[in-house]
Amino acid sequence: MLIWENIRLAISAIWINKMRSFLTMLGMIIGIFSVITIVSLGDTMRGVVAGEYENVGTGLAYVYMTTEDGYYTDNDLFSQQDAENLREAFPKELTYVGFNTGERLDVTVGRTTEKVYFNGLAKNPEAMKKLKIIYGRMLSNQDIEEKRNYVVLDKDTALSLFGKENAVGSTFSVTINREERELLVIGIYENTDSALMKMLSGGGTKTAYIPESIYVSSEGNTQWTLYFIISPEVDINQTQQRVVNLLSRIKNKPVEQIVSYSAAQEMSTIDTMLGSLSAVVGAIAAISLLVGGIGIMNIMLVSVTERTREIGIRKALGARMQDIMTQFLIEAAIISALGGLIGTLLGIGVISLAASILGVKAVVKPTVILLAVAFSAVVGLGFGMYPARKAAKKDPVEALRFE
Amino acid sequence: MKEVIRIEHLNKVYATGAVEVHALKDVNLTICEGEYVAIMGQSGSGKSTLMNILGCMDRKISGSYYLEGIDVAKQGENELSRIRNQKIGFVFQAFQLIPRTSAMKNVEIPMIYAGVSGEKRKKRAQQLLEKVGLGARCHHLPNELSGGQKQRVAIARALANDPAILLADEPTGNLDTAASHEIMDFFTKLNEEGATVIVVTHEEDIAAYTKRIIRFQDGCIISDTGRRETLC
Ligand SMILES: Nc1ncnc2c1ncn2[C@@H]1O[C@H](COP(=O)(O)OP(=O)(O)OP(=O)(O)O)[C@@H](O)[C@H]1O
Ligand SMILES: [Mg+2]
């Protein structure tokens, strides 16, 4: 019951000196704000990357070849035949094998010219890219096998090229690999990528999907990188090794010169990065909380001196040492926790704002909030201890004489 | 009659400044339950020093002080706080109200430390303020009250936990004659209701309200009208 009384006292004391209390909190606010922001930024980043691999899973991997001397020959590139060999060798283990064929090309329809980012999709395209088709249909395996001049456009591109979203059945011509082709629009999809991913993918919003077979000829070694998706039913690392071994045999290259990365590895790289980030955050937190705590101690010392008479009166009227002590401790803890809370809210606000601008989902873990506020209260208690003890130890007669 | 206060060979030396001040010199004093006492003397004669000791606020003394038979020197800090809270009502010369805190809240303070629950506390504070004639001023802040009103808030606060002993150090020192007499009338009433009342004053007409006058000079008692009649 005395605790409630003390909390009310503390709040009114803080309220009476609004400006001063706020300035005291500032150290805490900035400290907790930066911690919350940085930690949540890391979590959000991780969430975005994890979300990116959501459809394909962390089994997405790529492979490329290096040479000992830095001179590359034809044999250091991949061909359609290599991709087909992989598909045949691992029908169950690999759900998709294809190349990285993104290219930005000019498309002219009537008087409008747009730069459109073209992606090639190989057999089993759904495994690589799940498109939200709103008109028409997705590319089929048959389209790809028969090298049909088909294209699936995103609706914004359709709108700007043809003046309507449903452009299924329209055609346009584009020069792919120095060869002019007339493409038939068979489907329109809606781009569900976040703004951040659109930015990172460099494709902008205007994207088109075509059969990879019309982009990469079936003859010759032309591709630097081979992409494949490992089924979630098999072990990622093991399968990756088997792919590398097979390629080493086919291409007659030592295993060391075949480099492969999987999304799982990339995720763990990000985790390591976030790990070192949290070490930095820890340091920032420690320093800012130290500074904030010293600020609180300072202002509490001022407050104790200013209120010497009040302390004298309270003691004369029967307050025990621990009563005075708790009064000032609670005041320090509340200033500190309030600062922590404001900092937390600010941090959440900034993260949410940034996330909504980038179109990604903000990740702010409740444990982080709880920890931040609890920790700031503890800092308040810690640094409030000395001033509170000083207050509690005051001699009532002398305190009452204080001018 | 029951003895409430007994002081034996009390000496108080202030050694804070460059020179030592011997504020009380071998004071012996007994006060019984229900007495109404005035303490008089020149400025600097040691009246406030004595009141602080009687109020259990100053223990840096030599000699002994028994309050209701309890040796104050042997009590711990918390026990002293309890005595100040429960047994003694102290009215200070300078009001000593907590600033920016309403009259009501000021009166509630001793009850807070006594652990009285919120509702009961508010009701009693209201009653006490009405008793001192400030029922309409409950929510005023100290700086919105006149000197006499402030002193009455202080008295209401001193009475909060129904103390057996009321100590008032120049309660009328800052007040005009009319206000002073009002407050003394109030003390007289309290004394009639059974409280032991000790008042420090400079003024003979204030002292005239009481039944026993003790005069101090240079830290010594030089006269005590009640010594013969009211021996315990
Ligand atoms: N804290 C202190 N430190 C040093 N000397 C003190 C202290 N308090 C009081 N004294 C001295 O002790 C003596 C008695 O002081 P006290 O306050 O008891 O006088 P008083 O009788 O109450 O006077 P007044 O009528 O002016 O209030 C004075 O000489 C004073 O200077
Ligand atoms: Mg005095």
Side-chain angles (χ1 to χ4, degrees):
Chain A
M1 98 263 127
L2 212 66
I3 290 284
W4 280 114
E5 214 41 61
N6 277 323
I7 289 174
R8 281 185 28 211
L9 261 175
I11 290 172
S12 76
I14 290 166
W15 189 247
I16 285 168
N17 288 307
K18 283 182 277 295
M19 193 62 192
R20 189 167 89 183
S21 308
F22 175 72
L23 290 176
T24 309
M25 284 174 203
L26 215 53
M28 233 51 215
I29 293 177
I30 294 171
I32 296 292
F33 166 75
S34 43
V35 171
I36 290 275
T37 313
I38 297 171
V39 168
S40 300
L41 204 68
D43 288 343
T44 303
M45 242 162 65
R46 200 181 186 286
V48 168
V49 175
E52 206 31 44
Y53 295 128
E54 208 166 41
N55 346 342
V56 286
T58 43
L60 179 66
Y62 63 88
V63 60
Y64 64 88
M65 289 180 276
T66 60
T67 59
E68 220 168 325
D69 49 9
Y71 286 102
Y72 287 84
T73 63
D74 244 18
N75 190 47
D76 298 320
L77 302 179
F78 295 109
S79 69
Q80 285 283 20
Q81 191 52 51
D82 297 330
E84 199 50 41
N85 283 340
L86 277 185
R87 284 185 200 112
E88 273 163 23
F90 305 106
K92 195 166 61 68
E93 292 86 345
L94 302 184
T95 54
Y96 180 90
V97 180
F99 301 107
N100 176 27
T101 51
E103 194 178 356
R104 196 189 287 267
L105 300 168
D106 280 334
V107 177
T108 308
V109 175
R111 260 176 288 164
T112 38
T113 301
E114 288 283 358
K115 284 198 184 305
V116 180
Y117 198 80
F118 282 82
N119 290 293
L121 287 175
K123 220 188 276 175
N124 199 12
E126 301 270 0
M128 185 60 179
K129 201 76 203 174
K130 278 200 180 55
L131 294 179
K132 190 183 167 200
I133 301 288
I134 50 176
Y135 302 110
R137 63 172 179 86
M138 176 62 171
L139 295 168
S140 69
N141 280 345
Q142 210 176 357
D143 298 334
I144 293 159
E145 266 163 44
E146 295 178 5
K147 301 181 189 173
R148 289 178 181 158
N149 288 328
Y150 287 174
V151 63
V152 176
L153 280 182
D154 81 272
K155 74 165 195 238
D156 295 333
T157 313
L159 196 64
S160 65
L161 284 176
F162 300 104
K164 57 183 178 191
E165 279 185 9
N166 187 356
V168 174
S170 312
T171 58
F172 61 85
S173 60
V174 64
T175 309
I176 298 172
N177 288 341
R178 278 181 240 102
E179 189 185 331
E180 177 145 343
R181 281 172 191 270
E182 182 91 352
L183 297 179
L184 172 69
V185 179
I186 61 158
I188 303 293
Y189 76 96
E190 195 173 335
N191 193 343
T192 50
D193 274 358
S194 64
L196 179 68
M197 282 324 291
K198 283 175 189 162
M199 231 162 70
L200 291 180
S201 66
T205 48
K206 300 190 165 44
T207 321
Y209 289 91
I210 54 173
E212 187 193 80
S213 46
I214 65 174
Y215 194 94
V216 181
S217 79
S218 40
E219 312 295 322
N221 295 320
T222 55
Q223 299 298 313
W224 289 98
T225 322
L226 195 62
Y227 275 81
F228 52 96
I229 297 173
I230 300 163
S231 155
E233 268 124 59
V234 296
D235 182 79
I236 292 176
N237 289 335
Q238 212 182 324
T239 312
Q240 206 180 347
Q241 198 49 55
R242 287 174 69 195
V243 168
V244 168
N245 290 344
L246 179 72
L247 287 172
S248 152
R249 264 203 321 280
I250 299 171
K251 306 300 277 187
N252 198 19
K253 296 264 295 178
V255 180
E256 305 82 60
Q257 290 179 18
I258 300 178
V259 186
S260 176
Y261 282 108
S262 71
Q265 283 164 316
E266 242 163 71
M267 281 300 273
S268 76
T269 310
I270 287 173
D271 284 344
T272 329
M273 216 176 74
L274 291 180
S276 47
L277 188 73
S278 54
V280 175
V281 171
I284 295 174
I287 293 168
S288 63
L289 292 178
L290 187 74
V291 173
I294 291 170
I296 287 167
M297 179 147 89
N298 183 35
I299 217 68
M300 288 310 293
L301 283 172
V302 172
S303 179
V304 165
T305 306
E306 272 180 359
R307 284 149 72 188
T308 298
R309 233 171 208 278
E310 177 188 328
I311 294 164
I313 296 170
R314 288 182 182 280
K315 289 197 106 177
L317 296 177
R320 295 165 303 170
M321 268 168 91
Q322 59 257 48
D323 294 329
I324 301 293
M325 181 115 169
T326 19
Q327 180 186 340
F328 284 92
L329 268 185
I330 285 179
E331 191 173 320
I334 287 182
I335 289 183
S336 184
L338 214 57
L341 194 69
I342 295 173
T344 305
L345 293 179
L346 270 178
I348 294 174
V350 165
I351 283 289
S352 308
L353 192 75
S356 80
I357 289 173
L358 293 175
V360 299
K361 195 167 158 287
V363 180
V364 183
K365 291 190 182 141
T367 45
V368 174
I369 299 172
L370 212 72
L371 262 170
V373 176
F375 201 67
S376 49
V378 168
V379 166
L381 285 177
F383 284 90
M385 195 64 92
Y386 173 66
R389 282 181 66 88
K390 214 176 145 182
K393 278 203 210 137
K394 280 192 191 291
D395 180 80
V397 180
E398 273 161 37
L400 282 168
R401 285 170 163 273
F402 185 80
E403 308 274 275
Chain B
M1 249 200 248
K2 200 176 134 205
E3 137 191 324
V4 186
I5 286 168
R6 193 169 80 224
I7 276 171
E8 283 167 356
H9 306 293
L10 176 68
N11 281 276
K12 171 73 189 178
V13 179
Y14 288 110
T16 42
V19 282
E20 285 192 351
V21 180
H22 204 154
L24 292 173
K25 295 168 193 156
D26 200 46
V27 174
N28 294 285
L29 177 66
T30 305
I31 294 172
C32 293
E33 195 176 15
E35 274 201 273
Y36 193 6
V37 185
I39 294 177
M40 301 193 70
Q42 292 166 334
S43 187
S45 55
K47 307 181 297 292
S48 295
T49 304
L50 178 70
M51 290 300 264
N52 289 341
I53 294 166
L54 292 183
C56 294
M57 292 196 282
D58 186 359
R59 279 204 298 175
K60 293 172 202 144
I61 52 168
S62 68
S64 43
Y65 171 24
Y66 295 92
L67 182 81
E68 293 184 340
I70 302 165
D71 187 351
V72 170
K74 293 209 176 100
Q75 306 306 310
E77 279 285 339
N78 284 351
E79 186 52 26
L80 279 186
S81 294
R82 205 187 63 78
I83 292 172
R84 289 197 292 263
N85 188 242
Q86 303 283 319
K87 299 206 160 140
I88 297 168
F90 209 108
V91 179
F92 305 90
Q93 178 168 4
F95 317 129
Q96 303 284 20
L97 298 181
I98 296 183
R100 290 180 282 205
T101 304
S102 72
M104 183 105 149
K105 281 250 165 287
N106 261 290
V107 177
E108 281 183 51
I109 291 167
M111 294 188 269
I112 291 176
Y113 295 121
V116 180
S117 73
E119 275 310 303
K120 255 169 98 181
R121 218 160 62 205
K122 284 196 180 61
K123 231 174 100 190
R124 175 139 175 87
Q126 175 84 38
Q127 282 170 355
L128 285 164
L129 284 167
E130 273 162 17
K131 200 168 165 187
V132 296
L134 287 174
R137 293 273 192 281
C138 283
H139 301 292
H140 283 233
L141 300 180
N143 59 359
E144 297 164 355
L145 296 170
S146 74
Q149 287 169 336
K150 276 190 235 186
Q151 196 58 291
R152 280 186 278 164
V153 174
I155 291 168
R157 187 177 65 183
L159 299 177
N161 287 332
D162 240 335
I165 308 159
L166 190 72
L167 303 174
D169 190 356
E170 298 195 49
T172 61
N174 292 315
L175 307 180
D176 65 18
T177 326
S180 301
H181 287 292
E182 249 175 64
I183 281 173
M184 287 317 291
D185 283 333
F186 193 74
F187 282 164
T188 307
K189 213 168 101 215
L190 285 173
N191 176 247
E192 279 161 4
E193 286 166 16
T196 309
V197 179
I198 304 171
V199 181
V200 171
T201 183
H202 276 122
E203 296 152 74
E204 293 295 342
D205 57 336
I206 296 296
Y209 277 82
T210 65
K211 296 179 194 142
R212 175 180 174 187
I213 299 173
I214 300 169
R215 286 180 204 275
F216 269 78
Q217 194 173 6
D218 289 332
C220 299
I221 296 179
I222 51 164
S223 77
D224 183 349
T225 60
R227 186 155 256 172
R228 299 258 168 267
E229 305 90 74
T230 54
L231 274 182
C232 301

